[in-house]
Amino acid sequence: MRKSGPPKGLIAYLVLELLEEKPRYGYEILKEIKDLSGGHWEPSYGSVYPILYKFEEKGWAERIEREDEPDRKYFELTAAGTEELADRREETATNAREFGDVILGFYHVFAVIATDDRFSVPARDGHWRFDEAFSEWIVEQVARHHEHYFDTDFDRISDTPEEFYERHDIDPEE
């Protein structure tokens, strides 16, 4: 499990999205983000509650009282929070390349450590290792998640990066 969490700003964006869905309390948000990440991110109270308090201070969320749970601090998105969420959605749209680069970069480094003679990380019994079996496991998990979320069978793509970018009208320099 990756406890360090996602790229900067993503937790705040997810909190806004979750609050748009319904009023929530901090622990509920923590559990939901953990579920959304497939259990790989485990945000702490120290990361989510300051976000909620900041949103409250900026007027993007407000605390609401619930008679059925008087001891919980529920937060609800405000009209200003809905506007902020729209801005964050636009910002997130421009970060797709960065997120993809993070995923690909981590995988490439994993594979290089596993195969390049310059690196000599020892294999430890009972732990993850930098080797072909664990590399296959990572790729398999990515394919399984693709099939789950997109409800389709994963098909290999034969395009080179250049061909893929051209087919999707992406400037590789941007």
Side-chain angles (χ1 to χ4, degrees), residues 122-133:
R124 303 266 163 113
D125 289 340
H127 294 276
W128 272 67
R129 295 180 298 281
F130 291 97
D131 64 19
E132 187 173 0

Side-chain angles (χ1 to χ4, degrees), residues 70-135:
D71 296 334
R72 287 219 166 108
K73 297 175 185 174
Y74 276 85
F75 291 84
E76 181 175 60
L77 201 63
T78 64
T82 301
E83 290 176 25
E84 178 64 19
L85 175 57
D87 292 343
R88 299 261 180 140
R89 284 175 175 158
E90 288 298 318
E91 182 182 320
T92 299
T94 65
N95 291 335
R97 172 71 181 263
E98 180 184 341
F99 284 25
D101 283 345
V102 167
I103 293 164
L104 290 171
F106 276 124
Y107 178 74
H108 280 279
V109 169
F110 184 94
V112 165
I113 291 172
T115 59
D116 190 313
D117 291 337
R118 294 177 295 172
F119 301 95
S120 56
V121 177
R124 303 266 163 113
D125 289 340
H127 294 276
W128 272 67
R129 295 180 298 281
F130 291 97
D131 64 19
E132 187 173 0
F134 282 85
S135 175

Side-chain angles (χ1 to χ4, degrees), residues 107-164:
Y107 178 74
H108 280 279
V109 169
F110 184 94
V112 165
I113 291 172
T115 59
D116 190 313
D117 291 337
R118 294 177 295 172
F119 301 95
S120 56
V121 177
R124 303 266 163 113
D125 289 340
H127 294 276
W128 272 67
R129 295 180 298 281
F130 291 97
D131 64 19
E132 187 173 0
F134 282 85
S135 175
E136 288 173 342
W137 174 248
I138 292 169
V139 172
E140 177 63 27
Q141 292 309 299
V142 170
R144 285 182 187 183
H145 285 86
H146 172 86
E147 290 174 341
H148 172 78
Y149 289 108
F150 294 100
D151 195 25
T152 184
D153 289 335
F154 180 78
D155 290 325
R156 299 283 305 266
I157 297 173
S158 61
D159 290 354
T160 65
E162 294 78 16
E163 291 167 339
F164 184 83

